[in-house]
Amino acid sequence: ALSSAASDVYKRQVHAYASLQYDVCIDLVMMEIPKARYAIGLLKYLKSVAPGGHLIIGGYLDAWLFNFAMSYAIHYLYALGSTRRGKKIPYVIRCGTFMDDFSIGSGSIKGEQRAVKALDKWMTKNQHLQIKETTGIIKLLPIEEEKRRRNLPRPGQRGVPMLDMAGYRISRTHITIRRRVFKRARRQLIRGYRELKRDGTLRRERAQKIISYNSYIAVSYTHLRAHET
């Protein structure tokens, strides 16, 4: 669940794989581990064969390199802030990333907007990336109000503002998964049950599909909702 200190969450997206050049990643690796000659040589070769010299969607190494580059952006975000009466007040309280999506949690909308503006300039200059807005600002409710709404009689009255990211829907007090993700997981479980009942076993492809949805159920409150229904 989201931090109680963050009252607003901003969801943004980075023009990632098709924009992040191998040159940027290679420079970062050379700065951090200059003696990794074989790894640097491999990255230079991949750069020479990659279309446009940028990262490719779907590659494990490309995903790792993007996360590696984004870690510098996150570090920069946490360093931003203002000073009031000799005390530093950070613009960003929490920052979460998943692939090319990232969310920023802040105690004020003004601080959040300043952080995004500064980050956009920093990423354009240092990583040649651009930020685009997706959801915009999500104003979270206090924990007490979320709990109060959860106890209302009608299901339609229980909704609260949530951050929709990486297949999850996240609020201060609970985490669920997107409706379409739940439907896909449920469909695979039903088909797996019928297959097991008919053949006494599961095909590997079916088992892999069911396992791929396990984390969605395990780390959210969805399994509790399933028991209730």
Side-chain angles (χ1 to χ4, degrees), residues 63-93:
W64 186 91
L65 288 171
F66 177 73
N67 288 336
F68 178 52
M70 276 298 294
S71 67
Y72 288 86
I74 294 171
H75 181 77
Y76 174 76
L77 266 178
Y78 281 132
L80 296 173
S82 60
T83 303
R84 186 180 300 170
R85 297 175 184 175
K87 182 180 179 181
K88 184 175 180 181
I89 302 172
Y91 289 153
V92 176
I93 298 172

Side-chain angles (χ1 to χ4, degrees), residues 64-127:
W64 186 91
L65 288 171
F66 177 73
N67 288 336
F68 178 52
M70 276 298 294
S71 67
Y72 288 86
I74 294 171
H75 181 77
Y76 174 76
L77 266 178
Y78 281 132
L80 296 173
S82 60
T83 303
R84 186 180 300 170
R85 297 175 184 175
K87 182 180 179 181
K88 184 175 180 181
I89 302 172
Y91 289 153
V92 176
I93 298 172
R94 291 288 184 272
C95 180
T97 66
F98 178 79
M99 297 182 71
D100 57 350
D101 286 337
F102 71 97
S103 59
I104 299 172
S106 176
S108 69
I109 294 177
K110 186 178 290 186
E112 207 158 33
Q113 291 173 335
R114 288 176 178 173
V116 171
K117 187 176 181 180
L119 179 64
D120 195 19
K121 289 182 179 179
W122 183 89
M123 293 188 79
T124 301
K125 177 182 177 182
N126 294 281
Q127 298 183 340

Side-chain angles (χ1 to χ4, degrees), residues 2-19:
L2 292 168
S3 168
S4 59
S7 60
D8 305 295
V9 177
Y10 223 46
K11 185 181 176 185
R12 292 275 178 159
Q13 193 174 55
V14 181
H15 290 284
Y17 296 92
S19 301

